[in-house]
Amino acid sequence: MKVKIHFSAATLAPLLIRSTLIAQMQHQTLDLALPTDNNALFSGGGPAFYQYIERNYKGVKSTPWEGGQYGFVRDPVETSAGMFYSRFHEGIDIRPLQRDARDEPLDEVRAIADGKVVHTNLIPGYSNYGKYIVIEHRWEGSSYYSLYGHLSSITVQPGDTVKRGQRIAVMGYTGAGLNQARAHLHLELNLMLSHRFEAWHNVFFKNDLNHNGIYNGLNLAGLDIARLYLASRKNPSLTVPEFLNDEETFYKVTLPKSRYFELPRLYPWMLTGGRNEKSSWEVSFARSGLPLRIEPSDKPVTQPVLSYIKKSSVDHSYLTRDEISGRGSNAHLTEYGKQLLRLLIYPD
């Protein structure tokens, strides 16, 4: 009898240690590291940190470093209300510091935080990101996903556990629209929208092959990681929900109530108003399309419906990646916008 008790304790010990480690991982602070040796972000060096883009606007060629930032920073459009940038950049482009005699980038790419490698794309033509890595991080019980794109080589594989600052790749220029001169690391930090992405993609984008499963860029909603770096440096105890609490709500969409709606389970901090005993959900979004808050709604709907949008003097198609069109009371979700939002409740 004593032997059995001793054996059970020995068996339980590693399980208890593992549970403790998981609990610690879920409640760890962000403690983000920059992914390369380029730290000019912290000294205000915009052109020293961001890789420039090549722009040809009305016959005038330029190389603005601002296009390497997160946000609506590309494809200028001139309107009656002024100049707008209509193309959204989901992450940040970090320029190299080291090149060899052939001008090839040599910068080592490292994990920005402890996590688990969940995806590697080894075939450049399978994504605009070229060769890229996705790492899952657990903070405060929710999963967030860092993405490292345009790599020349990858030194990890799915299933690997990585530590903050661990080498995972070498910078490159794989992917669409890049050349050696513009070699850089594209870095994102994302929320995941749905684990049913592949089935949804097969229905709505059946002619567009998906080689990257649920780690396709369409299923990852990026936040402003450069601003997060700066904010967490000022406040080391900052959490992602606290950081996103300062994001402006640009529009809201009412969704039918669905048992497939994962966001409240994946990111419970978004939920306000408690359990939904009403007929629908209303989701608040940043201008980028990043979901910010979820609350119950009395409005009965059978498909995604725009319920609020910030007023603008220009057509919202320029401001929302063509997900919303029109202005004022005529603003509405485009068919493309409806398709993207159906992902949140697919297959309902």
Side-chain angles (χ1 to χ4, degrees):
M1 187 68 176
K2 290 181 180 179
V3 173
K4 289 184 179 179
I5 293 173
H6 178 74
F7 179 77
S8 297
T11 304
L12 285 172
L15 294 176
L16 291 172
I17 293 172
R18 183 173 181 271
S19 297
T20 302
L21 289 173
I22 291 173
Q24 290 174 346
M25 185 177 176
Q26 290 189 345
H27 292 88
Q28 65 181 330
T29 56
L30 290 177
D31 192 24
L32 299 177
L34 287 169
T36 74
D37 286 336
N38 191 335
N39 61 4
L41 175 68
F42 297 132
S43 56
F49 183 73
Y50 294 103
Q51 181 58 280
Y52 65 86
I53 63 168
E54 295 172 336
R55 178 175 292 157
N56 186 342
Y57 182 65
K58 294 186 175 181
V60 178
K61 295 183 178 181
S62 60
T63 55
W65 65 264
E66 291 87 351
Q69 298 178 105
Y70 169 94
F72 288 86
V73 293
R74 301 182 178 183
D75 291 6
V77 177
E78 193 171 346
T79 74
S80 57
M83 184 77 73
F84 288 87
Y85 293 87
S86 60
R87 185 177 166 198
F88 181 71
H89 187 222
E90 199 95 29
I92 57 176
D93 292 346
I94 303 173
R95 62 178 301 175
L97 295 180
Q98 307 168 51
R99 292 180 184 264
D100 65 15
R102 297 173 300 164
D103 216 26
E104 291 291 323
L106 298 173
D107 296 52
E108 188 175 277
V109 176
R110 310 180 189 102
I112 64 171
D114 295 353
K116 178 182 178 182
V117 178
V118 291
H119 182 67
T120 57
N121 177 55
L122 304 178
I123 302 177
Y126 280 2
S127 168
N128 288 339
Y129 294 122
K131 293 182 180 180
Y132 75 96
I133 298 170
V134 179
I135 297 177
E136 179 181 11
H137 311 279
R138 293 285 294 179
W139 295 312
E140 298 294 330
S142 292
S143 290
Y144 302 87
Y145 302 85
S146 56
L147 184 151
Y148 311 76
H150 308 315
L151 307 171
S152 67
S153 62
I154 292 173
T155 58
V156 293
Q157 59 186 359
D160 286 354
T161 297
V162 294
K163 302 297 290 183
R164 175 186 184 273
Q166 179 178 327
R167 174 179 170 149
I168 58 173
V170 175
M171 184 186 293
Y173 47 97
T174 58
L178 291 187
N179 54 31
Q180 188 184 55
R182 290 193 57 246
H184 64 265
L185 171 70
H186 175 86
L187 176 70
E188 297 179 7
L189 185 59
N190 302 289
L191 281 62
M192 180 170 286
L193 299 179
S194 174
H195 285 87
R196 295 180 178 83
F197 174 82
E198 291 175 272
W200 168 87
H201 191 277
N202 289 341
V203 170
F204 292 104
F205 296 90
K206 60 183 67 177
N207 295 322
D208 182 11
L209 291 178
N210 173 30
H211 298 284
N212 296 287
I214 61 173
Y215 304 106
N216 183 304
L218 280 176
N219 197 34
L220 300 173
L223 54 83
D224 188 343
I225 189 170
R227 192 165 67 83
L228 178 61
Y229 272 119
L230 296 171
S232 59
R233 214 178 201 213
K234 290 182 179 179
N235 176 13
S237 64
L238 183 69
T239 65
V240 173
E242 289 170 345
F243 172 74
L244 292 180
N245 194 49
D246 292 334
E247 281 282 345
E248 178 188 35
T249 293
F250 195 79
Y251 63 94
K252 298 181 181 182
V253 174
T254 305
L255 300 173
K257 195 172 179 179
S258 168
R259 63 191 177 99
Y260 300 112
F261 186 37
E262 285 189 87
L263 281 183
R265 296 190 295 275
L266 298 177
Y267 306 100
W269 50 264
M270 287 189 191
L271 193 59
T272 62
R275 293 179 59 186
N276 190 0
E277 305 298 337
K278 300 183 179 181
S279 59
S280 309
W281 291 108
E282 187 172 62
V283 184
S284 299
F285 293 89
R287 183 183 165 197
S288 64
L290 180 71
L292 301 172
R293 279 173 293 281
I294 305 165
E295 53 192 324
S297 172
D298 282 322
K299 184 176 181 180
V301 295
T302 57
Q303 63 177 336
V305 174
L306 184 69
S307 52
Y308 161 82
I309 190 163
K310 184 179 179 181
K311 291 182 179 179
S312 172
S313 57
V314 300
D315 195 292
H316 282 98
S317 61
Y318 295 128
L319 307 177
T320 62
R321 300 194 280 180
D322 291 323
E323 295 175 23
I324 298 169
S325 186
R327 64 185 76 181
S329 59
N330 293 321
H332 59 277
L333 293 172
T334 62
E335 284 305 310
Y336 174 68
K338 289 178 183 177
Q339 287 179 4
L340 292 181
L341 287 160
R342 287 187 183 110
L343 169 61
L344 298 179
I345 54 171
Y346 190 82
D348 279 355

